[in-house]
Amino acid sequence: MREKRARRSKRDVFSNLVAGACAGAVAKSTIAPFDRAKIFFQVSSKQEFSYKECFRFLTYTVRERGYGQLWKGNSATMIRIMPYAAISYLANEHYKEYFKRDTGRLTHGKRFLAGSLAGLTASFTTYALEVLRARMAIKPEYIGIKQSLVHIVRTEGVSSLYRGITPTLLGVSVYGGFSFYVFGTLKQQHPLSPGDQLTLSYRVLYGAAAGLCGQSISYPLDVVRRRMQTGGLHGDHLERYSTLRKTITHIYTHEGIKKGLYKGLSLNFIKGPVAASISYTVFDYVNHLFVGKESV
């Protein structure tokens, strides 16, 4: 009995890791061009965001450098997002099981906490790759992962790979908590007959709602972390973005809330729900292939 339970546990871990990695890879690859545009506007203190300017940036990139440049840095994204998503989904399942060990059920607070801790766990372990991805997305001289890593370490030091980690951890704790909570709660509350599965349309809808909710709430911290990660690359003084407080103060004072801390949010209303719906849907389907059951 104990051996059977151990084999099931190992199978579940493997399934969650593979399903999470697939979910992250498919979702991020789909929205990569929009992600690149978002980063471009987030890290610039001078360039105001609008859909017209976003379209102009994308068309200029294609015209001057080719379609492939829209996915520039996606290799670094895959190296980061696959372990990030795998760890995030696995951790969420682990924390949910831990929190319901006594009563067999999850309260709303514990479901939110499980998602929040999952985001923190995944982000902390893969953060350096996120910095690499952001640098490669906005600077032409950052060509390959190895070359970019060596350049950053030699010119700025190892600590620069963790610049902006504070707002990142704050942001993912909020995003992960709300996103996993909303998706899990909507699935749990959906009326289904025994043996039935949630249809594809509802998975996509609930995933989109989860992504929209999570990203809208945590978005200002996303802007702050991008500035801290890429500070000094656009002619800005690095000192302005050296700490969380300085970065928030500078953005708020010189750019305001709408054009600063929430710059590019409207693009996230498209990108965020699409990515989240794809990610949650792929995870559920791949996980079901391996273990024949779904997470709730």
Side-chain angles (χ1 to χ4, degrees):
M1 183 70 177
R2 186 177 298 175
E3 289 182 3
K4 185 177 181 181
R5 189 178 303 156
R7 285 197 301 269
R8 191 187 311 126
S9 178
K10 289 180 179 179
R11 185 186 63 181
D12 288 347
V13 168
F14 177 77
S15 173
N16 288 331
L17 285 172
V18 173
C22 290
V26 174
K28 276 294 185 180
S29 294
T30 302
I31 61 155
F34 297 104
D35 230 6
R36 182 153 190 247
K38 184 194 76 169
I39 293 173
F40 172 79
F41 286 100
Q42 281 184 333
V43 302
S44 174
S45 59
K46 301 174 183 177
Q47 183 70 56
E48 291 190 12
F49 174 83
S50 68
Y51 282 116
K52 181 180 179 180
E53 289 300 319
C54 178
F55 180 74
R56 183 177 296 174
F57 168 76
L58 292 174
T59 54
Y60 172 82
T61 300
V62 172
R63 185 173 65 251
E64 297 296 322
R65 300 173 184 171
Y67 282 99
Q69 285 297 305
L70 293 178
W71 279 266
K72 183 175 182 290
N74 199 50
S75 57
T77 299
M78 291 300 100
I79 291 175
R80 181 196 74 90
I81 198 60
M82 292 180 73
Y84 174 88
I87 294 170
S88 182
Y89 279 107
L90 174 64
N92 184 56
E93 296 302 311
H94 171 78
Y95 290 129
K96 286 194 302 183
E97 290 299 320
Y98 177 79
F99 286 137
K100 65 182 182 183
R101 67 193 187 285
D102 295 327
T103 61
R105 57 184 292 273
L106 278 174
T107 63
H108 290 294
K110 287 181 178 179
R111 185 182 292 277
F112 177 88
L113 184 57
S116 182
L117 290 173
L120 285 171
T121 303
S123 188
F124 185 78
T125 54
T126 62
Y127 185 75
L129 292 170
E130 166 64 16
V131 175
L132 272 178
R133 197 271 295 215
R135 297 291 186 93
M136 291 177 69
I138 63 172
K139 297 295 284 185
E141 57 265 34
Y142 290 101
I143 301 172
I145 296 172
K146 182 179 178 181
Q147 180 264 347
S148 302
L149 178 63
V150 172
H151 177 76
I152 293 172
V153 172
R154 283 180 177 174
T155 57
E156 303 174 47
V158 176
S159 61
S160 63
L161 292 172
Y162 293 90
R163 186 185 300 150
I165 194 171
T166 301
T168 298
L169 294 180
L170 289 173
V172 297
S173 66
V174 175
Y175 173 79
F178 277 103
S179 183
F180 277 120
Y181 170 78
V182 169
F183 186 71
T185 300
L186 288 174
K187 281 180 62 179
Q188 187 182 49
Q189 299 299 321
H190 189 94
L192 285 174
S193 301
D196 286 348
Q197 292 186 38
L198 201 64
T199 62
L200 175 62
S201 59
Y202 276 110
R203 291 180 198 274
V204 172
L205 178 63
Y206 293 164
L212 183 62
C213 179
Q215 291 205 353
S216 297
I217 295 171
S218 64
Y219 192 80
L221 289 167
D222 191 40
V223 175
V224 170
R225 76 185 176 102
R226 292 296 185 198
R227 294 290 181 91
M228 294 181 72
Q229 287 173 349
T230 60
L233 297 184
H234 282 280
D236 296 317
H237 295 294
L238 186 59
E239 180 63 22
R240 293 175 182 173
Y241 306 126
S242 59
T243 67
L244 176 63
R245 189 181 70 172
K246 286 182 179 180
T247 304
I248 293 175
T249 301
H250 180 79
I251 296 174
Y252 175 76
T253 303
H254 293 83
E255 302 169 57
I257 296 177
K258 182 180 179 180
K259 295 183 178 180
L261 292 172
Y262 281 92
K263 180 189 288 187
L265 176 62
S266 56
L267 181 60
N268 248 36
F269 289 156
I270 300 173
K271 182 184 75 69
V274 170
S277 62
I278 293 172
S279 182
Y280 282 117
T281 301
V282 171
F283 176 79
D284 273 357
Y285 274 111
V286 175
N287 205 34
H288 192 271
L289 286 175
F290 278 99
V291 296
K293 65 177 182 178
E294 293 188 21
S295 168
V296 291

